[in-house]
Amino acid sequence: MKSIKFKTLFFVLCLLAFLFIFQWYFINYFLKGALEKQLINFMANIGQSVTGEIDTRHLQVFEGFDTTVTYSRLKERLEHYLEDFNIDNISIIDTNKKVVIDLKSGLKNGDDFGYLDLNEIQFNALKSGVIKRSSLYKNVYGKYTENVYIPVFTPKRECAGILILSASARFLNSIEDFRKNILWLYISLIVLSLGLGFLLSSSFAQPVINLSKIVDRIGGGDYRSPIPYRKRNDELGHLARKITEMMRKIELRDLFMRKISAGIAHEIRNPLTAIKGNLMLIKRKSNGKEIGEMIDDNLKQVDALEELVADFMNFAKPVTLDMKHIRIGEVLGYALKETEILRGQKEVELFYECPDDALIEGDMNYLKRALVNLIRNAAEAVPVGGMIEITCRSADGKLTLYIKDYGAGIDPEDADRIFEPFFTTKTTGTGLGLSIVKEIMEKHGGSIDFESVKGEYTRFRIEMPLARRDYA
Ligand code: ADP
Ligand code: MG
């Protein structure tokens, strides 16, 4: 029943997750790519102006070069660039990848330059004039860094060496920070939206859940519960008003049906009593055996009609209880007596085990009627010579009574409907028996349910509060 709430929350969370993934993608691929390109262009521009000012004759590799004036001039010039453009390192190597000069990473003239991540083809392309770049790497300080390689040419356009500019991709570090921040932002958003989701679900989902509970109760015959939310002027309000309208209509139809039932039952009962009286009179006066049997047969049918009329009358009358202390054995005794003929006809075997003195509080007539209806159904369900078991338990202030028959069983498809008035699977049934039982049990503060296996057995269980002993 909570699913609508969870769906709302789930939806909000999905939306957040989607936004999150989208942003992540945007930052990583789109923004990062664009900024990286800018950095490379910037460095390539610087690189070209630097190479333009370098006298290629000064790019030499030999022992002691770094003690010459040429070397210190070159170094001085490069250091200017380093400061002016906020670059992290500048190095120059010759075409054999030997270091000519390196400002920051501690390499000396003549050292092998180990950081070059270009294969021979790329290196050759570089030497012929194509500017290359390294992939991003984290430098020794843990900062994202990128190198740009720019060939340095002699006036005769021969490659004299490679200028290497290293710049930390500061924007990437700030993207990293930004990502951390955004993660926090999302965590707080998730918390916030969970709260929001709960709010949403309590203002929309909860009313729907409440209304559906009320509709369930209306289905069970409760037309009195007030229906909330009728004053809301949204769809929920509309729904609540429609349910109210529907409830009134069902109540009216229910009343109408009870009235008709009462009317018809009343009209039939009196002539039926007369017919029965006359039949008995005729039977007494005639002495032919054949006529006697015919009259008996008619009397049985009149009895069946009387049962039917009784069902209609009971259905039509509102149940008003006359509460007394009743021993369960006593009321069961009456009910068994009343169903004796029917059970006799089918040679039903009875297993009976009830503590007769268990005391309940109730209306003898109504309780008897309820039990008669249940035993009647059981006797109708079993085959000739079938078995009915009636057992009782009393515990925790409750009496539980089982009426079990080894008969036809109840189709799972019908299970939801058997307590509805007029639902019957019998050709001569009224379908009122169980609906009356249910009403009587509920009026007694009890309950009724059943379990059944088609073709094997049906067991009805009724539960009622035991009478408080101190009353007895
Ligand atoms: P009716 O007996 O007039 O059909 P009830 O309200 O007493 O009406 O029962 C409704 C339906 O429930 C029956 O038609 C039958 O299908 C089913 N039913 C009730 N009791 C039993 C039972 N003991 N075994 C099998 N089916 C039953
Ligand atoms: Mg019945």
Side-chain angles (χ1 to χ4, degrees):
M1 276 310 258
K2 285 182 187 150
S3 74
I4 195 166
K5 270 189 180 177
F6 285 116
K7 275 183 194 155
T8 323
L9 280 181
F10 185 69
F11 177 74
V12 172
L13 285 179
C14 280
L15 203 72
L16 269 176
F18 171 75
L19 275 175
F20 184 66
I21 291 167
F22 177 75
Q23 291 223 20
W24 202 266
Y25 181 83
F26 179 80
I27 290 166
N28 273 330
Y29 293 90
F30 196 71
L31 207 60
K32 190 172 128 189
L35 289 173
E36 209 179 330
K37 218 170 181 175
Q38 249 185 23
L39 175 79
I40 301 295
N41 282 343
F42 169 68
M43 293 213 292
N45 282 337
I46 299 169
Q48 268 158 342
S49 48
V50 177
T51 50
E53 288 199 20
I54 292 174
D55 185 341
T56 48
R57 283 169 307 177
H58 296 158
L59 303 185
Q60 299 186 39
V61 177
F62 61 83
E63 267 224 50
F65 176 59
D66 47 8
T67 56
T68 59
V69 181
T70 320
Y71 181 85
S72 16
R73 285 225 184 103
L74 184 63
K75 190 173 173 201
E76 214 170 286
R77 172 152 290 169
L78 293 180
E79 269 167 352
H80 266 300
Y81 280 106
L82 200 73
E83 266 163 38
D84 288 354
F85 295 105
N86 203 6
I87 292 170
D88 293 331
N89 190 16
I90 300 180
S91 328
I92 298 176
I93 57 176
D94 70 1
T95 49
N96 298 318
K97 303 180 189 173
K98 296 268 186 230
V99 173
V100 176
I101 186 165
D102 175 88
L103 297 186
K104 289 284 176 195
S105 47
L107 294 170
K108 302 244 169 326
N109 180 274
D111 286 350
D112 273 323
F113 188 80
Y115 302 121
L116 208 62
D117 59 345
L118 299 175
N119 61 30
E120 275 318 298
I121 300 172
Q122 289 167 327
F123 191 65
N124 286 334
L126 176 64
K127 282 193 291 188
S128 67
V130 184
I131 294 176
K132 293 274 177 194
R133 50 181 268 215
S134 70
S135 46
L136 266 180
Y137 63 93
K138 274 194 180 174
N139 72 7
V140 284
Y141 307 108
K143 298 254 177 203
Y144 282 105
T145 307
E146 181 130 30
N147 292 345
V148 174
Y149 309 114
I150 302 129
V152 188
F153 290 109
T154 62
K156 289 182 182 163
R157 289 219 43 92
E158 275 165 14
C159 182
I162 313 290
L163 174 76
I164 302 169
L165 303 179
S166 308
S168 78
R170 288 174 199 93
F171 62 90
L172 282 180
N173 296 314
S174 41
I175 282 182
E176 188 97 313
D177 287 346
F178 183 54
R179 256 195 260 172
K180 272 181 206 146
N181 287 338
I182 216 165
L183 200 69
W184 279 114
L185 182 77
Y186 268 92
I187 288 173
S188 24
L189 266 181
I190 284 174
V191 172
L192 206 81
S193 56
L194 274 175
L196 209 79
F198 270 118
L199 260 172
L200 261 179
S201 58
S202 50
S203 74
F204 292 106
Q206 196 56 50
V208 173
I209 293 170
N210 292 347
L211 282 177
S212 74
K213 276 187 198 147
I214 287 177
V215 169
D216 270 352
R217 285 217 297 273
I218 296 174
D222 173 5
Y223 310 121
R224 292 276 155 251
S225 313
I227 295 178
Y229 315 119
R230 278 172 308 174
K231 300 242 154 63
R232 277 172 80 134
N233 52 10
D234 56 4
E235 284 83 350
L236 277 168
H238 181 75
L239 183 65
R241 286 189 294 277
K242 283 287 161 200
I243 291 176
T244 316
E245 210 177 298
M246 194 184 72
M247 183 175 78
R248 297 279 164 257
K249 280 186 186 158
I250 296 177
E251 189 185 11
L252 274 180
R253 193 147 62 190
D254 203 73
L255 246 146
F256 179 69
M257 275 201 315
R258 283 172 193 265
K259 257 195 182 144
I260 293 216
S261 302
I264 293 177
H266 217 77
E267 291 304 315
I268 296 177
R269 194 172 60 166
N270 293 339
L272 215 53
T273 320
I275 291 171
K276 194 173 176 180
N278 286 344
L279 279 175
M280 294 209 279
L281 209 71
I282 297 170
K283 190 183 169 188
R284 228 182 297 149
K285 290 202 167 161
S286 76
N287 39 24
K289 192 174 173 245
E290 210 174 316
I291 290 188
E293 271 170 14
M294 273 164 68
I295 290 176
D296 276 345
D297 190 48
N298 279 342
L299 275 172
K300 258 183 219 160
Q301 295 193 34
V302 171
D303 278 342
L305 272 177
E306 271 185 331
E307 287 285 344
L308 196 141
V309 169
D311 269 0
F312 273 97
M313 303 270 276
N314 280 302
F315 171 67
K317 266 197 312 219
V319 175
T320 45
L321 300 179
D322 177 17
M323 300 294 260
K324 297 248 162 60
H325 279 158
I326 297 171
R327 281 187 303 112
I328 188 68
E330 195 182 3
V331 62
L332 265 169
Y334 288 134
L336 285 170
K337 183 114 193 79
E338 206 163 298
T339 52
E340 204 166 19
I341 298 174
L342 177 63
R343 288 187 290 121
Q345 279 167 2
K346 289 189 92 172
E347 296 164 31
V348 175
E349 216 183 302
L350 179 73
F351 174 84
Y352 178 91
E353 192 185 62
C354 272
D356 282 351
D357 57 343
L359 208 61
I360 48 173
E361 205 173 344
D363 183 306
M364 176 66 93
N365 274 325
Y366 277 112
L367 285 180
K368 187 193 74 187
R369 172 122 305 269
L371 292 173
V372 164
N373 285 352
L374 290 172
I375 298 171
R376 215 161 82 188
N377 280 346
E380 282 164 358
V382 292
V384 173
M387 164 93 147
I388 298 178
E389 289 172 6
I390 300 179
T391 48
C392 304
R393 302 267 168 281
S394 47
D396 305 330
K398 269 189 312 198
L399 176 85
T400 312
L401 197 150
Y402 298 99
I403 297 180
K404 182 173 185 181
D405 69 76
Y406 295 89
I410 292 170
D411 208 312
E413 265 182 33
D414 298 337
D416 286 345
R417 308 196 52 198
I418 60 166
F419 292 105
E420 282 175 19
F422 302 108
F423 176 81
T424 181
T425 56
K426 299 168 192 166
T427 41
T428 57
T430 57
L432 292 173
L434 286 178
S435 77
I436 294 168
V437 179
K438 187 163 189 229
E439 193 177 355
I440 293 174
M441 289 328 298
E442 278 167 2
K443 284 275 155 67
H444 276 86
S447 64
I448 176 162
D449 58 14
F450 73 96
E451 60 175 58
S452 179
V453 175
K454 183 94 182 130
E456 289 187 22
Y457 73 92
T458 306
R459 190 181 74 170
F460 278 90
R461 175 179 70 171
I462 58 183
E463 265 182 1
M464 287 177 56
L466 281 167
R468 300 238 308 266
R469 279 284 158 182
D470 45 321
Y471 288 174

